[in-house]
Amino acid sequence: MKFTTIFAFLSILVLGFTTAPAFADNITIQNASFETTNPLTIPCGTGCAYNNGPIPGWTSTGGQQGSWQPSSVYFSSAVPDGSIVAYSNGGLISQTLGVSLLANTTYTLSVDIGHRLDGLVSDYAIALLAGDTVLNSLAGSNGLIPIGTFADESFSFTSGANVPSGSLSIRLSSIGTQSDFDNVRLTATSVAEPGSLTLLAAGLGLALFVFRRR
C-alpha cells in the first residue's frame, strides 16, 4: 500500500508539471501603441496628420521616424490599437525595457505591421535583444500583407539555464520607405527546467520498479 501511494503521488506530480497551464506575464513597454505623441503638425488630408518625431518612449536611429494618424485614404482597416502608428523611413525605432532576461522562460514579441493602400512597399525587421545579444528576430516585406490592412507578426525565444546579461530591448527596423508599426507586445512564460522533469520521471520510474518487484 505504501509503494502504491508513493507511485500515485509521483504520477500526479509529473502530470502536474507536464500538463499544468502556463501563464504569460505582459512585460511593460512604454507607449506600446504610440498613442502618446508630440504635436502632429504636418497635415496629410482630412483626418490625417503626422510629425517627424521624436516618438515618446522610443529612440530613433538613422532615417526618419515619427508618429502618424492615418485616414481611410491609407488604410481600409482600422488601426489595430488606437488611432496612431509609428512610421519609419529607414533606420530603426528601439526601446530598452529595464528588465533582464530570465532563465527557462519563453518570450513572445508581437507587432502589427501595415501595408498602405497606395501600395508603398518596404522591408521590415523586428528583433528582441538582451544587452547587445540578438535573441531572435523576424524580417519580411509589408508587400506580403493584404493591401490596406495590418498584420500581426510575432516570434518567440526560449531561454535556457544560462542567459546573456543586459536589459531586454526591442528594435523595429525599416529598410526603405515606409514601414508602419503599432501595438507592440512582449510576454514572458515560465517553462519547466528540463532537469526537474528528468528528476521527477526518474523518481516515478524507480517507484514503479520497486512496486513491481513487490
Side-chain angles (χ1 to χ4, degrees):
M1 181 65 182
K2 179 179 179 181
F3 291 108
T4 303
T5 303
I6 294 174
F7 175 73
F9 173 74
L10 287 173
S11 297
I12 293 171
L13 203 56
V14 171
L15 186 63
F17 267 89
T18 56
T19 63
F23 296 97
D25 292 324
N26 294 317
I27 295 177
T28 300
I29 300 171
Q30 301 299 319
N31 199 16
S33 289
F34 306 104
E35 294 302 300
T36 301
T37 73
N38 289 299
L40 305 177
T41 57
I42 306 172
C44 49
T46 302
C48 179
Y50 68 98
N51 64 31
N52 289 324
I55 302 172
W58 296 82
T59 299
S60 298
T61 306
Q64 178 62 61
Q65 295 81 31
S67 304
W68 180 32
Q69 183 177 40
S71 66
S72 58
V73 171
Y74 295 95
F75 291 100
S76 55
S77 66
V79 171
D81 189 21
S83 61
I84 309 294
V85 301
Y87 74 86
S88 177
N89 297 331
L92 61 89
I93 305 167
S94 64
Q95 184 176 144
T96 300
L97 304 179
V99 296
S100 298
L101 183 68
L102 299 177
N104 303 305
T105 302
T106 296
Y107 293 85
T108 300
L109 177 62
S110 304
V111 184
D112 284 301
I113 297 172
H115 181 192
R116 292 166 42 148
L117 279 169
D118 54 10
L120 195 62
V121 173
S122 67
D123 293 332
Y124 65 86
I126 60 177
L128 179 66
L129 299 87
D132 294 327
T133 302
V134 177
L135 304 176
N136 201 359
S137 63
L138 173 68
S141 169
N142 64 3
L144 300 177
I145 298 169
I147 193 167
T149 69
F150 288 82
D152 187 353
E153 304 292 345
S154 65
F155 63 79
S156 295
F157 168 80
T158 300
S159 60
N162 299 311
V163 297
S165 60
S167 293
L168 288 173
S169 64
I170 295 169
R171 289 182 183 173
L172 311 177
S173 305
S174 173
I175 305 169
T177 307
Q178 164 187 9
S179 296
D180 301 306
F181 305 104
D182 193 40
N183 197 22
V184 184
R185 291 143 287 150
L186 180 62
T187 61
T189 306
S190 296
V191 296
E193 296 184 44
S196 298
L197 292 180
T198 301
L199 184 61
L200 285 171
L204 181 60
L206 178 61
L208 178 60
F209 173 76
V210 173
F211 176 72
R212 295 189 63 174
R213 291 272 296 179
R214 292 178 63 88

